[in-house]
Amino acid sequence: MVFSHGTLLDRTMFLPQTAALADQYRTIAYTSRAGTSRYGTERSLDDLSADCLDVVDRAGVDRFVLLGMSVGGFMAIELALRHPERVAGLVLVATQADAYTEQERRTFGALLEPLDTGGAIPEHVIEAFRPVIFGKRALAEQPELVERWTSKLRRRPARALYGEYRSWIDKPDRVADLAQIAAPALILHGEGDNGITVDHAHTMHERLPHSTFTPIADSGHLVTEEQPEAVTSALTGFLDSLTPWGGLS
């Protein structure tokens, strides 16, 4: 199983799940180029799909279950549409198939277009993203979680976030195309997600022909760490339903 994270995050957001699954499944959680020395390179969702395939090819994996969170989900949908022979299952977490609206593009642009520059992410940008990444419960009751990620964000280059933003802000609308995805799919979404609202999950569930939708109560965008047990339980049930894993390597 392959895990792809969201904007401003990294592979460690999946540690609760990879630890729980390790006894039964091979897990590969990787950090995208935004969190590596390649952060300054231009990239599109096509590039992120190619990066994902490069990771699994280097690992010697042919077919796999792909979990994509937020922009990782944008990428996962593109990969599943273009390379259906590689995807044995699809898990879409806190993500959407819709394109961004003009208003959303203007809002993100006003905040993030100035970040094509040197230096760290400005504090006002980090503060703007806190209620986007974390739900109300996490902000009130999980201070260690919030502080751990906030500290990471303060060490990240501004241009890393700019590159992430440019990779997804002009994403295509894939709602109508979801009907082409034959792989079984699981949709997980925090009911209190302010980054990507839960109505997007309902839309995907309606259009994906073989999907299961599990809403996660008391969680915002960072659902894998805000409610790790609920996410792991749903994920385990989904993976177990796919066995035997015919053709997987």
Side-chain angles (χ1 to χ4, degrees), residues 91-148:
V91 184
L92 299 172
V93 179
T95 193
Q96 67 185 61
D98 313 62
Y100 282 103
T101 66
E102 286 302 320
Q103 180 57 52
E104 288 170 330
R105 292 180 189 184
R106 286 193 294 269
T107 299
F108 278 119
L111 185 66
L112 301 179
E113 282 292 338
L115 299 191
D116 187 15
T117 185
I121 298 172
E123 191 66 24
H124 76 275
V125 174
I126 293 173
E127 287 303 312
F129 268 95
R130 281 165 68 97
V132 173
I133 295 174
F134 306 106
K136 290 182 179 179
R137 176 177 170 272
L139 289 170
E141 302 178 17
Q142 296 175 287
E144 292 183 1
L145 173 66
V146 175
E147 180 55 32
R148 172 160 53 84

Side-chain angles (χ1 to χ4, degrees), residues 9-158:
L9 304 169
D10 61 41
R11 64 186 179 87
T12 64
M13 68 167 291
F14 301 118
L15 283 175
Q17 289 72 47
T18 55
L21 295 172
D23 288 343
Q24 287 185 281
Y25 301 102
R26 182 183 182 189
T27 61
I28 303 172
Y30 68 96
T31 295
S32 76
R33 63 175 77 180
T36 72
S37 60
R38 299 176 65 203
Y39 70 85
T41 56
E42 288 189 25
R43 53 197 178 275
S44 65
L45 293 182
D46 287 344
D47 295 320
L48 298 183
S49 296
D51 288 350
C52 180
L53 290 177
D54 183 58
V55 168
V56 294
D57 287 346
R58 288 174 180 269
V61 175
D62 180 21
R63 297 183 68 229
F64 52 94
V65 176
L66 176 59
L67 183 153
M69 182 268 182
S70 199
V71 63
F74 305 163
M75 178 279 295
I77 290 172
E78 296 297 315
L79 196 153
L81 287 168
R82 299 185 184 207
H83 302 278
E85 74 285 356
R86 304 295 299 271
V87 179
L90 189 63
V91 184
L92 299 172
V93 179
T95 193
Q96 67 185 61
D98 313 62
Y100 282 103
T101 66
E102 286 302 320
Q103 180 57 52
E104 288 170 330
R105 292 180 189 184
R106 286 193 294 269
T107 299
F108 278 119
L111 185 66
L112 301 179
E113 282 292 338
L115 299 191
D116 187 15
T117 185
I121 298 172
E123 191 66 24
H124 76 275
V125 174
I126 293 173
E127 287 303 312
F129 268 95
R130 281 165 68 97
V132 173
I133 295 174
F134 306 106
K136 290 182 179 179
R137 176 177 170 272
L139 289 170
E141 302 178 17
Q142 296 175 287
E144 292 183 1
L145 173 66
V146 175
E147 180 55 32
R148 172 160 53 84
W149 281 105
T150 301
S151 296
K152 284 188 176 187
L153 301 187
R154 291 189 176 116
R155 297 193 298 269
R156 184 167 290 199

Side-chain angles (χ1 to χ4, degrees), residues 200-235:
H200 291 291
H202 290 283
T203 297
M204 293 189 297
H205 181 43
E206 291 169 359
R207 299 302 182 99
L208 281 165
H210 306 291
S211 66
T212 300
F213 172 43
T214 301
I216 307 297
D218 295 322
S219 181
H221 199 53
L222 190 54
V223 62
T224 58
E225 291 197 275
E226 292 187 36
Q227 293 287 3
E229 294 85 2
V231 170
T232 300
S233 176
L235 185 55

